[in-house]
Amino acid sequence: MGDYKLSATLRGHEDDVRSVAFPSPASIVSASRDSTVRLWKQESSTPPTYDSTIIKTHGKEFVNSLAIVPPSSQFPEGLIASGGKDQIIDVRQPGKSIEDNADALLIGHGNNVCALDVSQDGKYIVSGSWDMEARVWEVGKWGESTTLGEHGAAVWAVLAYDSNTVITGCADKQIRFFHPSGNQLRSIQAPEVVRALCRLPPNHPSGAQFVSAGNDAVIRLWMLQGKQVAELHGHENFIYSLAVLPDGGIVSAGEDRTVRVWQNNQCVQTITHPAISVWTVAVCPENGDIVSGASDKLVRVFTCNQARYAASTEIEQFNEDVKGSSIPQQTVGNINKEQLPGPEFLTQRSGTKEGQVQMISEANGNISAYQWSAAANEWVNIGTVVDSAGSGGRKISHNGKEYDYVFDVDIEDGKPPLKLPYNVSQNHYEAARKFIEDNELPLTYLDQVANFIVQNTQGATLGQSSAQGADPWGSESRYRPGDANEVRSQPQPTPAAPKILPQKEYLPIATGNHDVIFKKLQEFNQALVNDGQKGVSLNPSDIEQLSKTVAALKKGVGKNVELAGVDLLLKAATQWPADKRLPALDLLRLALTLEEPSAYLVSPEQNLVSGLVESGVFSAESSPNNTMMTVRCVSNLLQTEKGRLLASTEFDSIHPLISPFVTSSNRNLIIALTTLYINYSVLLTSENNADRALSLLDDLAKILNSATDSEAIYRALVATGTLLSLGPDFCEAGRDILQIGDAVTRAESKVKEPRIKNVVAEIRQKLHG
């Protein structure tokens, strides 16, 4: 077999390409985090070029999975099935336009649909989801689905093996076998989280019938009865996707930036991509060409047929892009630069196997990574190792603070990368949320950024790890390159999930883009000047003063914040017209996280709470955004000792004003409220005030009954559980008087996430213990 080389690069997606399919030499289907499904049709063959059409948008949600239903008498063109975070599986004929109705919308999953497959006879579709369920849908009937048994975590992979067998791969490290009717046949305990499954052709030389791969970077070949036939080692990080070549060879893709081709249980070619992640790979069954989708938003086609090679200039550009890639040092482990060989190594020594990586200390002081190409019999430069911090114990400074890691994150072509700071003591989801809010990015990026942090810190954490199954990526015991003995050893018993309750730390709402907020405040101030409202508007010297204050807030050093600027913020937040107060309230929220400005704002002379209340922000006529931002301010009061004293003193005046909003449909307001309730619940663990605790529990029951957002429900549950941890009297009152048990059950039925399941289990133990 010849060497695979680039055949075509397909540009059009605006975010990561998460799934691809290659049903025929003339067509490719791709799905992306940009919410679209694209159909690519070949326009010319030498070299191949493609034109794309968007055939489906899943609202504003990521699309993560694809499957192709083969042509039939009922659907002569076949069908394209796609699924993602909107929880709906869209099934449509490829000839339909984006405006046309789908042939079917399959509804039943309660979370992201992350895996799809179709039986070879085209009679049923199988789906897997973060809701810990796998389902079977009969093609053409589109009625009720069949749920396949029970899974203990997200179902990351599904395989419609034949008319009698469906196989699932799960984040609970189990491979399960089902009859399509729903009966479980048997299961296999895998050493790690299973992310990918693939059918092998009959009479495969290995004797195996299917393949699995996942977090330990090992490909495993299995027989249907559960016997492992072989292990294929070579990948250095998570494996996300598997496909099979017409001749029985295996193709894999993963977090180590590579697509790898395997023949006779050996890696025969490694195709490194200029991207962080290669999420997906598929093979054209007719000609054996490979298509990949990656985090750089591109779909790429590779072929071993010289007639289908891309133009030499395009191949050279691809190689240069790979060579110019930056490789975070954390992904390659600790490097002792003094002990690395120099460039002469590349001409004096050959690699020992395909895909072997060697670090070289270049003459200019850089460390470059080279990969051995057995086909070309040479070392190929695949990028420069960059110090993004952490592994050597050195801290990196960012905005006046020290961090273990500061990553460069490319969000948009042509614009400078954004800085993502992270300390290993942080929860990676909270760090991701802060990054998103700081840079005003869509909240839909949350999973992507959290996953990026996990991948690029090698799962480094301090203290407790996340609960088993709580992270859909299953990264709690992730594989690290070099741990080969651990990979082959028997899996360790699953540890008990660490306790969530009670919450012990106050939660800040401390993220924000200071410059953008201040710019909006200046725009509103100019509008007041233009309207002749000089009595409340700020003059140029005020704006200059405020500019210094915002700059100090941005650096996060409270003692450098000039209090005259804080006075101006308080004036704008309480005296400006209601439709122009939001930026000032937002900056007040940020000021309250720092000791010195917070102490000033809560002093008797300033009386922050009274000023906010008198401004009418808690009235029914107030803008929901102003109310939400004020609740955030009150929540941040609890970040400092003096702020907590005021929050406690003013509880009886604050609580009646905020409790009417507990059934609001405004997502941001409910999340702000539940964060405040968490912080008050933490405060009450050190104060003996049963009346306050019970009044908060009453409010939380209402939130659990009415809220639908998963983050709001989770925070409400944590606050509830923390208050129940105050003692058996509170559990008894919550159970018998406030009906907390019923509210918790209702909340659990609305959100099927492992973290919800875990905290609900702890609450029930307290209620019935």
Side-chain angles (χ1 to χ4, degrees):
M1 184 185 73
D3 202 18
Y4 276 93
K5 290 188 178 180
L6 186 69
S7 176
T9 303
L10 313 186
R11 295 176 169 85
H13 282 298
E14 299 176 356
D15 208 332
D16 293 40
V17 179
R18 289 303 308 266
S19 188
V20 291
F22 209 161
S24 75
S27 64
I28 292 169
V29 186
S30 58
S32 167
R33 280 180 163 160
D34 66 8
S35 81
T36 68
V37 178
R38 287 179 179 260
L39 174 63
W40 307 80
K41 293 187 177 180
Q42 192 179 91
E43 292 191 317
S44 62
S45 57
T46 309
T49 60
Y50 294 80
D51 184 46
S52 74
T53 302
I54 297 176
I55 61 170
K56 171 62 182 174
T57 60
H58 282 247
K60 296 182 179 180
E61 300 289 357
F62 296 166
V63 191
N64 293 317
S65 53
L66 281 175
I68 306 297
V69 178
S72 64
S73 58
Q74 187 178 3
F75 302 107
E77 294 182 295
L79 295 165
I80 297 171
S82 59
K85 291 200 73 177
D86 64 2
Q87 308 172 18
I88 298 171
I89 302 169
D90 179 277
V91 185
R92 64 180 56 230
Q93 298 177 66
K96 289 194 171 187
S97 70
I98 191 172
E99 293 83 11
D100 294 331
N101 290 330
D103 289 275
L105 295 175
L106 309 184
I107 299 173
H109 281 295
N111 209 319
N112 174 38
V113 180
C114 55
L116 289 170
D117 196 30
V118 176
S119 61
Q120 289 180 297
D121 59 12
K123 291 184 177 179
Y124 64 88
I125 298 170
V126 187
S127 58
S129 169
W130 288 6
D131 65 5
M132 301 187 289
E133 290 184 351
R135 292 173 179 261
V136 174
W137 315 79
E138 190 172 350
V139 171
K141 294 190 176 178
W142 314 129
E144 294 295 321
S145 60
T146 300
T147 302
L148 301 180
E150 293 186 359
H151 295 79
V155 181
W156 270 110
V158 293
L159 175 59
Y161 183 82
D162 59 27
S163 60
N164 295 310
T165 309
V166 175
I167 307 174
T168 63
C170 188
D172 65 4
K173 307 178 186 179
Q174 292 276 335
I175 298 173
R176 294 175 174 87
F177 300 79
F178 298 90
H179 189 274
S181 63
N183 294 327
Q184 182 168 335
L185 306 175
R186 56 192 167 279
S187 64
I188 301 172
Q189 176 68 52
E192 252 296 351
V193 171
V194 180
R195 292 176 175 268
L197 296 167
C198 181
R199 179 193 305 103
L200 291 175
N203 303 314
H204 192 266
S206 67
Q209 295 166 292
F210 74 98
V211 189
S212 72
N215 278 15
D216 61 4
V218 178
I219 299 171
R220 290 180 167 80
L221 281 65
W222 304 88
M223 298 182 70
L224 285 178
Q225 295 305 316
K227 179 183 178 182
Q228 181 177 306
V229 175
E231 291 184 359
L232 310 185
H233 294 262
H235 277 286
E236 298 177 350
N237 213 317
F238 293 179
I239 299 173
Y240 293 129
S241 184
L242 294 167
V244 64
L245 295 165
D247 63 2
I250 296 168
V251 183
S252 56
E255 184 66 17
D256 60 3
R257 309 191 302 148
T258 70
V259 167
R260 296 180 186 244
V261 182
W262 308 79
Q263 294 285 353
N264 299 317
N265 295 350
Q266 298 295 321
C267 182
V268 297
Q269 187 177 354
T270 304
I271 307 171
T272 300
H273 285 51
I276 294 172
S277 310
V278 186
W279 294 113
T280 177
V281 69
V283 169
C284 178
E286 294 182 36
N287 61 21
D289 286 0
I290 297 169
V291 62
S292 68
S295 58
D296 60 0
K297 312 174 188 177
L298 298 180
V299 176
R300 294 181 176 90
V301 183
F302 299 90
T303 184
C304 54
N305 186 321
Q306 294 186 18
R308 295 194 294 275
Y309 282 174
S312 59
T313 54
E314 189 174 353
I315 294 175
E316 183 59 32
Q317 183 60 55
F318 172 74
N319 293 334
E320 286 299 312
D321 290 343
V322 172
K323 183 178 178 180
S325 302
S326 295
I327 306 170
Q329 180 175 326
Q330 287 72 30
T331 66
V332 296
N334 293 327
I335 299 174
N336 188 330
K337 189 173 181 179
E338 287 70 29
Q339 294 183 1
L340 291 179
E344 67 280 356
F345 176 93
L346 304 174
T347 57
Q348 295 172 356
R349 299 282 295 274
S350 297
T352 59
K353 64 177 181 177
E354 168 66 33
Q356 177 188 348
V357 176
Q358 175 65 50
M359 301 299 164
I360 297 295
S361 179
E362 303 282 14
N364 62 4
N366 289 341
I367 298 175
S368 296
Y370 286 80
Q371 192 169 66
W372 179 250
S373 170
N377 197 38
E378 65 179 5
W379 294 98
V380 178
N381 189 328
I382 60 169
T384 302
V385 178
V386 295
D387 181 13
S388 49
S391 59
R394 245 180 336 107
K395 293 279 190 176
I396 291 181
S397 179
H398 175 67
N399 285 345
K401 295 182 179 180
E402 298 295 313
Y403 294 92
D404 295 316
Y405 302 87
V406 178
F407 299 108
D408 285 333
V409 181
D410 289 311
I411 295 294
E412 188 173 344
D413 290 339
K415 291 189 177 181
L418 303 176
K419 297 294 184 181
L420 169 54
Y422 177 71
N423 280 316
V424 295
S425 59
Q426 289 180 271
N427 177 290
H428 57 275
Y429 270 101
E430 288 301 323
R433 185 178 293 279
K434 181 179 189 305
F435 172 77
I436 287 167
E437 292 180 358
D438 280 350
N439 295 283
E440 297 192 326
L441 300 174
L443 192 62
T444 51
Y445 282 15
L446 178 63
D447 293 332
Q448 184 179 356
V449 176
N451 195 22
F452 175 87
I453 293 171
V454 171
Q455 314 297 353
N456 288 283
T457 59
Q458 291 191 310
T461 57
L462 292 178
Q464 292 178 331
S465 63
S466 60
Q468 179 70 25
D471 172 11
W473 291 280
S475 55
E476 299 87 273
S477 55
R478 62 171 293 187
Y479 166 74
R480 293 167 176 78
D483 293 348
N485 293 333
E486 290 185 21
V487 171
R488 292 185 178 88
S489 65
Q490 291 297 316
Q492 297 298 313
T494 301
K499 288 202 168 190
I500 302 165
L501 304 175
Q503 174 76 17
K504 296 180 179 179
E505 297 179 359
Y506 296 99
L507 292 185
I509 309 178
T511 59
N513 191 322
H514 298 71
D515 295 334
V516 171
I517 299 170
F518 184 45
K519 181 180 178 181
K520 180 58 69 174
L521 184 145
Q522 292 178 83
E523 290 177 7
F524 284 167
N525 185 68
Q526 188 60 49
L528 292 174
V529 172
N530 295 342
D531 289 344
Q533 300 188 50
K534 294 185 178 180
V536 293
S537 64
L538 307 180
N539 61 41
S541 62
D542 291 337
I543 293 294
E544 184 178 353
Q545 173 64 66
L546 204 49
S547 176
K548 295 177 183 178
T549 299
V550 172
L553 289 176
K554 186 176 179 180
K555 292 180 179 179
V557 182
K559 63 183 179 181
N560 295 338
V561 177
E562 296 187 16
L563 300 180
V566 178
D567 268 336
L568 294 171
L569 287 177
L570 189 58
K571 173 185 176 181
T574 57
Q575 297 179 28
W576 276 13
D579 63 343
K580 293 181 172 56
R581 292 178 186 172
L582 189 63
L585 286 167
D586 209 358
L587 289 170
L588 272 182
R589 165 185 68 90
L590 297 169
L592 286 165
T593 64
L594 304 176
E595 290 283 352
E596 290 79 3
S598 178
Y600 178 71
L601 284 167
V602 304
S603 64
E605 295 77 18
Q606 295 305 314
N607 204 349
L608 171 69
V609 173
S610 295
L612 291 173
V613 171
E614 291 170 6
S615 72
V617 73
F618 292 116
S619 69
E621 296 76 26
S622 176
S623 160
N625 284 336
N626 285 355
T627 305
M628 173 271 295
M629 198 60 71
T630 304
V631 173
R632 288 183 175 184
C633 288
V634 177
S635 182
N636 278 353
L637 275 176
L638 288 103
Q639 293 304 306
T640 64
E641 185 175 351
K642 290 183 179 179
R644 288 192 284 275
L645 180 60
L646 180 64
S648 178
T649 302
E650 296 288 341
F651 178 90
D652 292 332
S653 61
I654 292 172
H655 179 250
L657 295 172
I658 61 174
S659 60
F661 297 99
V662 296
T663 56
S664 169
S665 59
N666 184 302
R667 176 183 184 273
N668 291 332
L669 176 53
I670 289 296
I671 289 178
L673 278 169
T674 51
T675 306
L676 172 59
Y677 281 26
I678 285 177
N679 288 339
Y680 263 128
S681 70
V682 174
L683 180 65
L684 286 170
T685 60
S686 60
E687 294 184 355
N688 184 16
N689 195 315
D691 289 341
R692 291 181 180 181
L694 292 174
S695 65
L696 292 180
L697 277 172
D698 189 27
D699 284 356
L700 288 163
K702 296 173 184 175
I703 293 174
L704 292 173
N705 280 317
S706 61
T708 57
D709 178 78
S710 62
E711 186 64 30
I713 288 174
Y714 180 71
R715 293 188 181 215
L717 287 167
V718 171
T720 299
T722 301
L723 291 169
L724 294 177
S725 301
L726 294 174
D729 291 344
F730 296 92
C731 294
E732 183 179 347
R735 181 184 65 243
D736 299 337
I737 300 173
L738 301 176
Q739 307 300 314
I740 291 292
D742 293 342
V744 167
T745 298
R746 182 169 298 180
E748 183 185 27
S749 70
K750 290 182 283 189
V751 182
K752 295 184 177 181
E753 292 182 10
R755 62 174 181 164
I756 300 290
K757 180 180 179 181
N758 291 336
V759 73
V760 164
E762 288 192 42
I763 289 174
R764 285 186 176 136
Q765 186 176 17
K766 292 180 183 300
L767 289 173
H768 304 294

